[in-house]
Short mmCIF file of all heavy atoms in Angstrom, two decimals:
data_model
loop_
_atom_site.label_atom_id
_atom_site.label_comp_id
_atom_site.label_asym_id
_atom_site.label_seq_id
_atom_site.Cartn_x
_atom_site.Cartn_y
_atom_site.Cartn_z
N ASP A 1 -13.14 35.24 18.68
CA ASP A 1 -13.93 36.48 18.64
C ASP A 1 -13.07 37.72 18.83
O ASP A 1 -13.48 38.83 18.48
CB ASP A 1 -15.02 36.45 19.73
CG ASP A 1 -16.06 35.37 19.44
OD1 ASP A 1 -16.16 34.97 18.27
OD2 ASP A 1 -16.74 34.94 20.39
N ASP A 2 -11.89 37.57 19.42
CA ASP A 2 -11.04 38.72 19.70
C ASP A 2 -9.99 38.97 18.61
O ASP A 2 -9.18 39.88 18.75
CB ASP A 2 -10.31 38.52 21.04
CG ASP A 2 -11.30 38.40 22.18
OD1 ASP A 2 -12.33 39.09 22.14
OD2 ASP A 2 -11.03 37.60 23.10
N ALA A 3 -9.96 38.15 17.59
CA ALA A 3 -8.93 38.29 16.56
C ALA A 3 -9.56 38.11 15.19
O ALA A 3 -10.56 37.41 15.03
CB ALA A 3 -7.82 37.27 16.76
N ALA A 4 -8.95 38.80 14.21
CA ALA A 4 -9.40 38.60 12.83
C ALA A 4 -9.12 37.16 12.41
O ALA A 4 -8.14 36.55 12.84
CB ALA A 4 -8.65 39.57 11.91
N SER A 5 -9.97 36.64 11.59
CA SER A 5 -9.80 35.25 11.18
C SER A 5 -8.61 35.11 10.25
O SER A 5 -8.30 35.98 9.45
CB SER A 5 -11.07 34.74 10.50
OG SER A 5 -11.34 35.48 9.33
N CYS A 6 -7.94 33.98 10.38
CA CYS A 6 -6.80 33.65 9.54
C CYS A 6 -7.06 32.28 8.91
O CYS A 6 -7.80 31.46 9.45
CB CYS A 6 -5.51 33.59 10.34
SG CYS A 6 -5.02 35.18 11.05
N LEU A 7 -6.44 32.07 7.77
CA LEU A 7 -6.57 30.79 7.09
C LEU A 7 -5.21 30.12 7.03
O LEU A 7 -4.21 30.75 6.68
CB LEU A 7 -7.12 30.99 5.67
CG LEU A 7 -8.51 31.61 5.58
CD1 LEU A 7 -8.94 31.75 4.12
CD2 LEU A 7 -9.54 30.78 6.34
N ALA A 8 -5.17 28.85 7.36
CA ALA A 8 -3.95 28.06 7.32
C ALA A 8 -4.15 26.89 6.37
O ALA A 8 -5.26 26.36 6.23
CB ALA A 8 -3.59 27.56 8.72
N LEU A 9 -3.07 26.48 5.71
CA LEU A 9 -3.16 25.38 4.78
C LEU A 9 -3.35 24.05 5.51
O LEU A 9 -2.75 23.81 6.55
CB LEU A 9 -1.90 25.30 3.91
CG LEU A 9 -1.90 26.11 2.62
CD1 LEU A 9 -1.98 27.60 2.89
CD2 LEU A 9 -0.68 25.78 1.77
N THR A 10 -4.19 23.22 4.93
CA THR A 10 -4.33 21.85 5.41
C THR A 10 -3.31 20.98 4.68
O THR A 10 -2.58 21.43 3.80
CB THR A 10 -5.74 21.33 5.11
OG1 THR A 10 -5.93 21.31 3.68
CG2 THR A 10 -6.80 22.21 5.75
N ASP A 11 -3.28 19.70 5.03
CA ASP A 11 -2.40 18.77 4.31
C ASP A 11 -2.78 18.75 2.83
O ASP A 11 -1.91 18.68 1.96
CB ASP A 11 -2.52 17.37 4.90
CG ASP A 11 -1.84 17.26 6.27
OD1 ASP A 11 -1.03 18.15 6.59
OD2 ASP A 11 -2.12 16.28 6.99
N ALA A 12 -4.08 18.80 2.55
CA ALA A 12 -4.52 18.81 1.15
C ALA A 12 -4.06 20.08 0.44
O ALA A 12 -3.69 20.05 -0.73
CB ALA A 12 -6.05 18.69 1.09
N GLY A 13 -4.08 21.21 1.17
CA GLY A 13 -3.62 22.46 0.58
C GLY A 13 -2.14 22.41 0.25
O GLY A 13 -1.71 22.87 -0.82
N ARG A 14 -1.33 21.87 1.16
CA ARG A 14 0.10 21.74 0.89
C ARG A 14 0.35 20.79 -0.26
O ARG A 14 1.25 21.01 -1.08
CB ARG A 14 0.82 21.28 2.16
CG ARG A 14 0.91 22.37 3.24
CD ARG A 14 1.78 21.93 4.40
NE ARG A 14 1.08 20.96 5.23
CZ ARG A 14 0.29 21.26 6.25
NH1 ARG A 14 0.09 22.54 6.56
NH2 ARG A 14 -0.29 20.33 6.97
N GLY A 15 -0.47 19.74 -0.34
CA GLY A 15 -0.34 18.82 -1.48
C GLY A 15 -0.66 19.49 -2.80
O GLY A 15 0.01 19.25 -3.80
N ALA A 16 -1.71 20.34 -2.78
CA ALA A 16 -2.08 21.06 -4.01
C ALA A 16 -0.96 22.00 -4.44
O ALA A 16 -0.68 22.15 -5.64
CB ALA A 16 -3.38 21.83 -3.79
N LEU A 17 -0.31 22.67 -3.48
CA LEU A 17 0.83 23.54 -3.81
C LEU A 17 1.96 22.73 -4.43
O LEU A 17 2.58 23.15 -5.41
CB LEU A 17 1.34 24.25 -2.56
CG LEU A 17 0.64 25.54 -2.14
CD1 LEU A 17 1.42 26.17 -0.97
CD2 LEU A 17 0.55 26.54 -3.28
N GLY A 18 2.24 21.57 -3.84
CA GLY A 18 3.30 20.72 -4.38
C GLY A 18 3.00 20.23 -5.78
O GLY A 18 3.88 20.21 -6.65
N ASP A 19 1.74 19.85 -6.03
CA ASP A 19 1.36 19.41 -7.37
C ASP A 19 1.51 20.53 -8.38
O ASP A 19 1.97 20.32 -9.51
CB ASP A 19 -0.09 18.91 -7.36
CG ASP A 19 -0.25 17.60 -6.60
OD1 ASP A 19 0.77 16.93 -6.37
OD2 ASP A 19 -1.39 17.27 -6.23
N GLY A 20 1.12 21.76 -7.97
CA GLY A 20 1.26 22.89 -8.87
C GLY A 20 2.71 23.19 -9.19
O GLY A 20 3.06 23.53 -10.32
N LEU A 21 3.58 23.06 -8.18
CA LEU A 21 5.01 23.28 -8.40
C LEU A 21 5.57 22.27 -9.40
O LEU A 21 6.35 22.63 -10.29
CB LEU A 21 5.75 23.18 -7.07
CG LEU A 21 7.26 23.39 -7.09
CD1 LEU A 21 7.60 24.77 -7.62
CD2 LEU A 21 7.85 23.18 -5.70
N LYS A 22 5.17 21.01 -9.27
CA LYS A 22 5.64 19.98 -10.20
C LYS A 22 5.17 20.28 -11.62
O LYS A 22 5.94 20.14 -12.58
CB LYS A 22 5.13 18.61 -9.77
CG LYS A 22 5.80 18.05 -8.53
CD LYS A 22 5.15 16.76 -8.07
CE LYS A 22 5.17 15.68 -9.13
NZ LYS A 22 4.58 14.42 -8.64
N ARG A 23 3.92 20.71 -11.78
CA ARG A 23 3.42 21.04 -13.12
C ARG A 23 4.16 22.23 -13.71
O ARG A 23 4.49 22.24 -14.90
CB ARG A 23 1.91 21.31 -13.06
CG ARG A 23 1.04 20.06 -13.05
CD ARG A 23 -0.42 20.41 -13.25
NE ARG A 23 -0.95 21.13 -12.10
CZ ARG A 23 -1.53 20.54 -11.05
NH1 ARG A 23 -1.64 19.23 -11.01
NH2 ARG A 23 -2.00 21.26 -10.05
N ASN A 24 4.41 23.25 -12.88
CA ASN A 24 5.12 24.43 -13.38
C ASN A 24 6.54 24.09 -13.80
O ASN A 24 7.03 24.58 -14.82
CB ASN A 24 5.14 25.53 -12.32
CG ASN A 24 3.78 26.16 -12.11
OD1 ASN A 24 2.91 26.09 -12.97
ND2 ASN A 24 3.58 26.76 -10.95
N ARG A 25 7.20 23.25 -13.02
CA ARG A 25 8.56 22.85 -13.39
C ARG A 25 8.55 22.03 -14.68
O ARG A 25 9.43 22.20 -15.54
CB ARG A 25 9.18 22.03 -12.26
CG ARG A 25 9.63 22.88 -11.07
CD ARG A 25 10.14 22.02 -9.94
NE ARG A 25 10.70 22.83 -8.86
CZ ARG A 25 11.00 22.35 -7.67
NH1 ARG A 25 10.78 21.06 -7.38
NH2 ARG A 25 11.51 23.15 -6.73
N ALA A 26 7.57 21.15 -14.83
CA ALA A 26 7.48 20.35 -16.05
C ALA A 26 7.23 21.24 -17.26
O ALA A 26 7.81 21.04 -18.34
CB ALA A 26 6.37 19.31 -15.92
N ALA A 27 6.37 22.28 -17.09
CA ALA A 27 6.10 23.19 -18.19
C ALA A 27 7.34 23.98 -18.57
O ALA A 27 7.62 24.19 -19.76
CB ALA A 27 4.95 24.14 -17.82
N ARG A 28 8.10 24.43 -17.55
CA ARG A 28 9.34 25.16 -17.85
C ARG A 28 10.33 24.27 -18.58
O ARG A 28 11.01 24.70 -19.52
CB ARG A 28 9.96 25.71 -16.56
CG ARG A 28 9.23 26.91 -15.99
CD ARG A 28 10.08 27.63 -14.96
NE ARG A 28 10.34 26.81 -13.79
CZ ARG A 28 9.57 26.77 -12.72
NH1 ARG A 28 8.48 27.49 -12.65
NH2 ARG A 28 9.91 26.01 -11.69
N ASP A 29 10.44 23.01 -18.15
CA ASP A 29 11.35 22.09 -18.83
C ASP A 29 10.91 21.85 -20.27
O ASP A 29 11.73 21.83 -21.18
CB ASP A 29 11.41 20.76 -18.07
CG ASP A 29 12.13 20.88 -16.73
OD1 ASP A 29 12.83 21.89 -16.53
OD2 ASP A 29 11.97 19.97 -15.90
N ALA A 30 9.59 21.68 -20.47
CA ALA A 30 9.08 21.47 -21.82
C ALA A 30 9.33 22.70 -22.69
O ALA A 30 9.69 22.59 -23.87
CB ALA A 30 7.58 21.15 -21.77
N HIS A 31 9.16 23.90 -22.11
CA HIS A 31 9.40 25.14 -22.86
C HIS A 31 10.88 25.23 -23.24
O HIS A 31 11.22 25.60 -24.37
CB HIS A 31 8.98 26.33 -22.02
CG HIS A 31 9.03 27.63 -22.74
ND1 HIS A 31 10.18 28.37 -22.87
CD2 HIS A 31 8.05 28.33 -23.39
CE1 HIS A 31 9.93 29.46 -23.56
NE2 HIS A 31 8.65 29.47 -23.88
N SER A 32 11.77 24.90 -22.31
CA SER A 32 13.21 24.96 -22.59
C SER A 32 13.59 23.98 -23.69
O SER A 32 14.38 24.32 -24.59
CB SER A 32 14.00 24.66 -21.32
OG SER A 32 13.79 25.65 -20.34
N ARG A 33 13.04 22.78 -23.65
CA ARG A 33 13.36 21.79 -24.68
C ARG A 33 12.83 22.22 -26.04
O ARG A 33 13.49 22.05 -27.07
CB ARG A 33 12.81 20.42 -24.28
CG ARG A 33 13.50 19.79 -23.08
CD ARG A 33 13.15 18.32 -22.95
NE ARG A 33 11.74 18.12 -22.70
CZ ARG A 33 11.18 18.05 -21.50
NH1 ARG A 33 11.93 18.22 -20.41
NH2 ARG A 33 9.89 17.86 -21.35
N ALA A 34 11.62 22.79 -26.05
CA ALA A 34 11.05 23.26 -27.31
C ALA A 34 11.86 24.42 -27.88
O ALA A 34 12.13 24.50 -29.08
CB ALA A 34 9.60 23.69 -27.11
N THR A 35 12.28 25.35 -26.99
CA THR A 35 13.10 26.47 -27.43
C THR A 35 14.41 25.98 -28.03
O THR A 35 14.85 26.46 -29.08
CB THR A 35 13.38 27.42 -26.25
OG1 THR A 35 12.14 27.94 -25.76
CG2 THR A 35 14.28 28.57 -26.67
N GLU A 36 15.03 25.01 -27.38
CA GLU A 36 16.29 24.47 -27.89
C GLU A 36 16.09 23.79 -29.25
O GLU A 36 16.93 23.94 -30.15
CB GLU A 36 16.88 23.47 -26.90
CG GLU A 36 18.23 22.91 -27.34
CD GLU A 36 18.85 21.97 -26.33
OE1 GLU A 36 18.27 21.81 -25.25
OE2 GLU A 36 19.90 21.40 -26.64
N ALA A 37 14.98 23.08 -29.41
CA ALA A 37 14.71 22.40 -30.68
C ALA A 37 14.54 23.41 -31.82
O ALA A 37 15.08 23.22 -32.92
CB ALA A 37 13.47 21.52 -30.56
N VAL A 38 13.80 24.48 -31.57
CA VAL A 38 13.59 25.51 -32.60
C VAL A 38 14.90 26.21 -32.92
O VAL A 38 15.27 26.41 -34.09
CB VAL A 38 12.53 26.53 -32.14
CG1 VAL A 38 12.44 27.69 -33.12
CG2 VAL A 38 11.17 25.85 -31.99
N ALA A 39 15.65 26.59 -31.88
CA ALA A 39 16.91 27.29 -32.09
C ALA A 39 17.90 26.41 -32.86
O ALA A 39 18.60 26.89 -33.76
CB ALA A 39 17.49 27.72 -30.75
N ALA A 40 17.97 25.14 -32.51
CA ALA A 40 18.88 24.23 -33.20
C ALA A 40 18.50 24.07 -34.67
O ALA A 40 19.36 24.02 -35.55
CB ALA A 40 18.89 22.87 -32.50
N HIS A 41 17.20 24.00 -34.94
CA HIS A 41 16.72 23.88 -36.33
C HIS A 41 17.15 25.11 -37.14
O HIS A 41 17.64 24.98 -38.28
CB HIS A 41 15.20 23.74 -36.33
CG HIS A 41 14.58 23.75 -37.68
ND1 HIS A 41 14.40 22.60 -38.43
CD2 HIS A 41 14.11 24.77 -38.45
CE1 HIS A 41 13.84 22.92 -39.58
NE2 HIS A 41 13.66 24.23 -39.63
N LEU A 42 16.97 26.29 -36.58
CA LEU A 42 17.31 27.52 -37.30
C LEU A 42 18.82 27.66 -37.47
O LEU A 42 19.31 28.09 -38.52
CB LEU A 42 16.74 28.73 -36.56
CG LEU A 42 15.20 28.79 -36.48
CD1 LEU A 42 14.77 29.89 -35.52
CD2 LEU A 42 14.59 29.01 -37.87
#
C-alpha cells in the first residue's frame, strides 16, 4: 500500500524472453543466408 506496484518476470516470463531471442536469432541467420544467396547469384 505504501509503494507503487511493480511487475517482475516469472519463470514462464523468462522462458518466453528466451524463446523470443532464439526466434529472432534464427530469423537473422535466415535473412543473412538469403542475402548471401541472392548476392552470390547476382
Side-chain angles (χ1 to χ4, degrees):
D1 293 339
D2 299 324
S5 62
C6 295
L7 298 180
L9 271 64
T10 63
D11 288 343
R14 288 187 286 272
L17 276 187
D19 290 342
L21 180 60
K22 288 174 59 178
R23 279 191 292 269
N24 289 339
R25 284 175 174 168
R28 285 196 295 270
D29 290 344
H31 187 276
S32 295
R33 292 194 297 269
T35 299
E36 183 177 356
V38 173
H41 174 89
L42 296 170

